[in-house]
Amino acid sequence: MTLHEAPRPHPVVRPGPGAGAGRRPGAEGGAPAAAQQRLEAMDRPLKRPVWKGAAAWTGLAALCAAVIVLAATRFDWSDDRVIQVARADVVLDRVRLGPFQPVLHATGQVKPRTSVALQNSISGRVDAVHVKPGDRVSAGKLLFELSNPETEMSFFTLEVQVAEQLNALTQREQSLERGRQEDELEVLRLTNEIAELRIQLERRRQLLTRGHDKPFEVDALMRQQTHLGAVLEMRVGMLKSRIQWQGDQAQQARTLSGNLMRNLETARASLDALNIRATMDGTLSDFSVKRGEVVERGANLVTLFELGTPIIEAEVDELYLDRLSIGDEASWRDGGGGWRALRVRRILPEVIDGKITLEMDFVDAPPDGLVHGQRLDIQIRTRALAEDVLILANGGFLAQTGGNWVFVLDEASGRATRVPVEILATTRDEVALKTGPAPGSAVVVSSYLGLAEADYLRIE
């Protein structure tokens, strides 16, 4: 490569022989020659020193080397995905090894110790509402009146049928009683008649021994007595059978009558179930029952509760079920910011949506002014883990990693790499790790939003 291209020389007209004869040297004949020399000097290429070209190439090479070194330090030319992050944009925490006693944070709710949900056993239309939310009521107080034409008609129809059947049973019992009385009268008549025959026969026999009576008449009396005795015996047997049968019939009638009356009471109870009454003394919760609306069977119309000494309910993750027990200490934040003592009284066994429910008692007398449904900040102290574990501050990184890995910073190079972890437990403030970085490692605990796809972070 040439730095300059020499221009083509201009043609020069040289003087012919003797052209300058008779002229003085240095006069008119010497001027063209001087001009020609000046033109040739201007057209001659300039030669650069060799040492100046070598210095230029050396400087250019040094500049390229500096650019390459800078790029190598600023960028990772491997296939891994690297994201550069400012140090001020991340939060770091050092892993520490120690005992982990989780303090669970939850939102508790004031609940009554005793409460009853009032439901309607029969669907119907609301005809009257006699109370309003928050009313204090006594047991038996009529709260709502419902109506159901089908139930009412069924009750009245059954009531008529029961009355007719009871009337028929009464008439049947009266008929059986009359038959029994007639049999008893017949037995009594036969007994008296036989007694009279016995007396008459005794007298006739005395007369016969004296010869004052006829033998065939006495024999006739004896045959009549024997006949009446047989008839009496038959009547007595019939009477006993009738009495036994009548007793059986009366028992069946009483059983049928009792069944009919129970059916009638059931129908009456169904009719009375349309009137919703308070089952105990207490306060009514909020409700939305309005006159004229139709409520289906089993609907929760209102809750009746007796606040008295309330309890606190809180939901926690089922992960802590094996580290919670009745009697564990807890606390709640009062209006002044202080913490007051609670104690776990009951752990409900059901797991709903990954949560378990705890019931807690106030250790001291609850403050005045607590209302049903009020929410409180709760802390629950669980049993410490049996062994020391790796502990890390809780942060936004869990949302993007699912607790499966973290970025661990090499503070010498500013490079943060992925390290897999296994979580034992979490609280609002801390995370317990079963496996993870060594104690003392610096971990990025802030949110990984926009960083989760990176293989490395370069933190400066």
Side-chain angles (χ1 to χ4, degrees):
M1 176 178 178
T2 58
L3 296 178
H4 299 282
E5 184 177 355
R8 296 177 62 184
H10 299 285
V12 177
V13 179
R14 297 183 182 274
R23 295 184 182 180
R24 294 189 307 264
E28 294 181 2
Q36 180 66 28
Q37 291 177 355
R38 286 194 300 270
L39 287 176
E40 291 179 355
M42 290 178 61
D43 292 336
R44 186 181 303 115
L46 297 177
K47 294 183 179 181
R48 300 188 63 181
V50 175
W51 64 269
K52 290 187 177 181
W57 282 105
T58 302
L60 181 61
L63 178 62
C64 292
V67 171
I68 292 173
V69 170
L70 179 61
T73 58
R74 301 288 292 182
F75 302 100
D76 194 327
W77 299 101
S78 65
D79 293 335
D80 298 329
R81 290 163 295 186
V82 180
I83 296 179
Q84 186 171 337
V85 183
R87 176 62 182 84
D89 294 339
V90 297
V91 177
L92 299 175
D93 185 58
R94 294 195 180 276
V95 179
R96 54 198 178 278
L97 181 66
F100 183 72
Q101 185 175 12
V103 176
L104 305 182
H105 296 264
T107 299
Q109 194 170 19
V110 178
K111 295 284 187 179
R113 191 172 295 272
T114 303
S115 62
V116 177
L118 300 181
Q119 300 177 335
N120 57 311
S121 57
I122 299 177
S123 60
R125 183 173 62 88
V126 179
D127 288 341
V129 178
H130 298 288
V131 290
K132 61 182 181 297
D135 280 356
R136 180 78 181 175
V137 296
S138 301
K141 166 71 176 178
L142 180 61
L143 308 179
F144 310 104
E145 291 185 41
L146 309 181
S147 63
N148 186 314
E150 294 181 0
T151 300
E152 295 171 355
M153 183 60 66
S154 298
F155 170 75
F156 294 138
T157 302
L158 181 60
E159 190 176 34
V160 171
Q161 292 176 353
V162 169
E164 292 176 350
Q165 293 179 11
L166 290 177
N167 185 42
L169 288 174
T170 301
Q171 292 178 359
R172 186 176 182 183
E173 287 180 349
Q174 292 175 354
S175 176
L176 291 173
E177 182 64 21
R178 285 194 299 269
R180 185 185 64 81
Q181 292 175 357
E182 290 175 357
D183 286 342
E184 288 180 349
L185 289 175
E186 181 65 18
V187 169
L188 181 60
R189 185 187 67 77
L190 289 173
T191 302
N192 291 335
E193 187 174 351
I194 290 174
E196 289 293 332
L197 283 174
R198 186 178 296 113
I199 294 172
Q200 187 178 1
L201 184 58
E202 184 64 27
R203 291 175 180 174
R204 295 290 291 268
R205 285 176 178 172
Q206 292 178 0
L207 292 175
L208 183 61
T209 56
R210 297 175 184 175
H212 299 301
D213 205 345
K214 300 176 182 179
F216 69 90
E217 292 182 357
V218 175
D219 293 339
L221 288 175
M222 292 178 63
R223 288 193 298 272
Q224 186 178 358
Q225 181 186 11
T226 303
H227 172 69
L228 290 177
V231 173
L232 176 61
E233 184 178 358
M234 181 183 67
R235 278 291 188 175
V236 170
M238 290 176 61
L239 178 59
K240 291 180 179 179
S241 298
R242 182 184 289 273
I243 291 174
Q244 179 64 36
W245 179 76
Q246 184 179 356
D248 295 340
Q249 293 296 312
Q251 181 62 35
Q252 293 178 6
R254 286 192 293 270
T255 301
L256 180 59
S257 176
N259 292 337
L260 291 174
M261 291 304 297
R262 281 191 291 272
N263 292 339
L264 185 60
E265 289 300 325
T266 301
R268 184 176 287 110
S270 299
L271 188 63
D272 188 63
L274 294 171
N275 298 323
I276 311 300
R277 301 178 182 275
T279 56
M280 67 175 191
D281 297 344
T283 305
L284 298 177
S285 67
D286 189 18
F287 61 86
S288 59
V289 179
K290 296 180 178 61
R291 181 179 178 182
E293 71 172 304
V294 176
V295 291
E296 297 297 329
R297 176 182 178 181
N300 289 326
L301 303 180
V302 67
T303 299
L304 180 63
F305 63 90
E306 180 58 49
L307 192 59
T309 302
I311 62 174
I312 304 297
E313 281 191 2
E315 291 184 347
V316 298
D317 197 291
E318 63 175 326
L319 179 67
Y320 300 100
L321 181 58
D322 59 346
R323 291 199 293 276
L324 291 170
S325 59
I326 295 175
D328 284 349
E329 296 179 355
S331 56
W332 65 281
R333 189 192 298 271
D334 60 18
W339 291 93
R340 297 196 182 187
L342 298 171
R343 183 175 292 109
V344 177
R345 67 184 292 266
R346 185 183 175 200
I347 302 175
L348 275 63
E350 298 85 359
V351 177
I352 302 175
D353 296 332
K355 301 288 185 180
I356 57 175
T357 301
L358 307 180
E359 291 183 357
M360 290 164 281
D361 283 327
F362 290 90
V363 174
D364 302 320
D368 297 332
L370 290 180
V371 296
H372 173 57
Q374 181 177 344
R375 297 184 179 275
L376 304 173
D377 290 334
I378 303 295
Q379 288 184 350
I380 307 164
R381 185 171 295 277
T382 66
R383 295 191 300 274
L385 300 182
E387 300 178 355
D388 290 348
V389 296
L390 300 173
I391 301 174
L392 189 64
N394 197 343
F397 69 96
L398 290 177
Q400 283 79 37
T401 69
N404 296 319
W405 57 273
V406 294
F407 279 122
V408 179
L409 175 64
D410 181 358
E411 297 180 84
S413 64
R415 179 172 172 144
T417 60
R418 288 185 181 222
V419 174
V421 297
E422 184 176 354
I423 292 180
L424 278 176
T426 61
T427 66
R428 181 184 298 180
D429 301 320
E430 294 180 327
V431 178
L433 304 178
K434 183 176 182 180
T435 60
S441 301
V443 177
V444 179
V445 296
S446 52
S447 174
Y448 290 0
L449 187 63
L451 307 177
E453 299 299 324
D455 297 310
Y456 300 97
L457 300 181
R458 184 167 298 281
I459 300 176
E460 296 181 350

